[in-house]
Amino acid sequence: MSQIAFDQRIVDQLEKMYRSRDVLRRRQLVRDALHCAPGQRVIDVGCGPGFYAAELLEEVGPQGCVVGVDTSAPMLAAAARRCEGRGRAEFHEAPATALPVPSASFDRALSVQVMEYVADVPAALGEIHRVLRPGGRAVVWDVDWSTLSWYSRDPERMARVLRAWDRHLTHPALPRTLAAALRAAGFADVRAEPHAFATIALDPETYGGRVVAMVESFVAGLDAESAVLAKEWAAEQRELSARGEYFFAVTQFCFTAVRP
Ligand SMILES: C[S@@+](CC[C@H](N)C(=O)[O-])C[C@H]1O[C@@H](n2cnc3c(N)ncnc32)[C@H](O)[C@@H]1O
């Protein structure tokens, strides 16, 4: 198995994780950066289970609309359910590299923790640029997994687990090159805001408290040897938390850019 499969099991995990305090904070940061107004048209590239779409429908009101695009049918089904009766929302099954919408037809575009899974990032950013109207704003958020600081008494085992976890996505350190990629796609006024997500306990309200189960389940699914590795590693993380010794920190980046 290579990249994570966004199937019903992951939908169920994200449905819980995306209600947690850290992810609510992240959504608020993205919404502040997007700065939507009533009547605007918004496209959410890699909309997942539709938390952003549902919240943005309230911001754009009855005259505005939100279009969600994703490659995962179970994600799109969850998003459609979440947005039912909340306003003008449409969902399309399509890749970020071929958005099924006309050029220059959106005021805002967002793509949160999606580009890191997309093989051809320049093509996907080019699509966001194409569908925004001149003056339209894009918000692209990704995690730089190379900034991870994660405590273990067995650093060698931690390194093996993290090498395996890097296989869950295509670009483990995408933010390093995103500013240049946005400019190359034709965007102007490119900015980046770093946001630390740090945790000192396996608290389910935190990003670092939820991610242990996701890492364990992904790494365990790779092969029999990895299954043993993941189990032992996760057991240590739970023990560390029980003893008050847990520590997790990662930097996530919010990029904003404007189509000239
Ligand atoms: C980590 S989830 C983020 C969901 C959502 N953006 C959020 O933050 O609430 C990543 C999403 O990207 C979607 N995805 C991955 N590769 C994609 C691609 N090439 N084109 C469109 N969507 C993609 C997945 O199906 C999944 O729903």
Side-chain angles (χ1 to χ4, degrees):
M1 179 163 93
S2 54
Q3 191 163 297
I4 204 162
F6 288 99
D7 53 17
Q8 190 59 50
R9 194 175 58 84
I10 299 292
V11 173
D12 295 341
Q13 273 184 10
L14 294 188
E15 287 270 1
K16 291 189 191 113
M17 184 173 189
Y18 285 1
R19 289 188 172 89
S20 66
R21 189 177 66 235
D22 266 358
V23 182
L24 287 173
R25 168 164 76 101
R26 181 163 88 171
R27 276 207 297 286
Q28 191 57 54
L29 289 164
V30 168
R31 286 171 54 184
D32 289 349
L34 261 182
H35 206 66
C36 284
Q40 286 187 327
R41 290 175 55 79
V42 184
I43 184 162
D44 185 355
V45 178
C47 62
F51 284 84
Y52 284 98
E55 292 176 11
L56 291 169
L57 282 170
E58 284 178 24
E59 292 192 27
V60 299
Q63 305 306 320
C65 89
V66 177
V67 173
V69 177
D70 205 288
T71 41
S72 157
M75 287 288 182
L76 289 163
R81 276 196 302 277
R82 177 155 286 107
C83 292
E84 216 176 290
R86 287 176 186 253
R88 289 171 55 202
E90 283 172 25
F91 294 97
H92 300 283
E93 188 173 337
T97 47
L99 300 176
V101 292
S103 300
S105 54
F106 290 92
D107 304 289
R108 297 284 184 267
L110 69 151
S111 190
V112 178
Q113 225 187 331
V114 177
M115 290 298 144
E116 59 200 60
Y117 298 101
V118 175
D120 191 346
V121 172
L125 296 179
E127 275 295 87
I128 292 179
H129 184 271
R130 176 183 70 79
V131 305
L132 278 173
R133 64 163 172 77
R137 178 196 300 253
V139 173
V140 178
W141 181 295
D142 280 286
V143 180
D144 185 346
W145 288 102
S146 71
T147 65
L148 198 56
S149 175
W150 204 345
Y151 178 61
S152 167
R153 290 184 171 186
D154 186 341
E156 196 272 332
R157 182 174 59 201
M158 176 62 94
R160 283 171 63 208
V161 167
L162 293 181
R163 270 197 304 278
W165 175 240
D166 272 353
R167 290 168 59 187
H168 91 281
L169 78 180
T170 311
H171 310 287
L174 186 65
R176 290 181 188 182
T177 53
L178 253 182
L182 283 161
R183 286 189 208 101
F187 285 101
D189 200 13
V190 175
R191 294 161 196 242
E193 287 285 338
H195 298 283
F197 285 75
T199 314
I200 56 165
L202 277 178
D203 172 357
E205 288 299 321
T206 66
Y207 193 82
R210 288 263 174 193
V211 83
V212 169
M214 296 195 89
V215 172
E216 181 184 13
S217 119
F218 176 78
V219 174
L222 292 173
D223 53 52
E225 197 186 329
S226 303
V228 175
L229 172 72
K231 198 168 172 210
E232 290 173 356
W233 169 84
E236 189 214 7
Q237 292 302 315
R238 290 184 190 108
E239 274 168 39
L240 288 174
S241 182
R243 286 204 299 266
E245 294 175 25
Y246 187 75
F247 182 88
F248 169 99
V250 74
T251 307
Q252 308 196 10
F253 288 85
C254 184
F255 286 82
T256 54
V258 174
R259 177 178 172 172

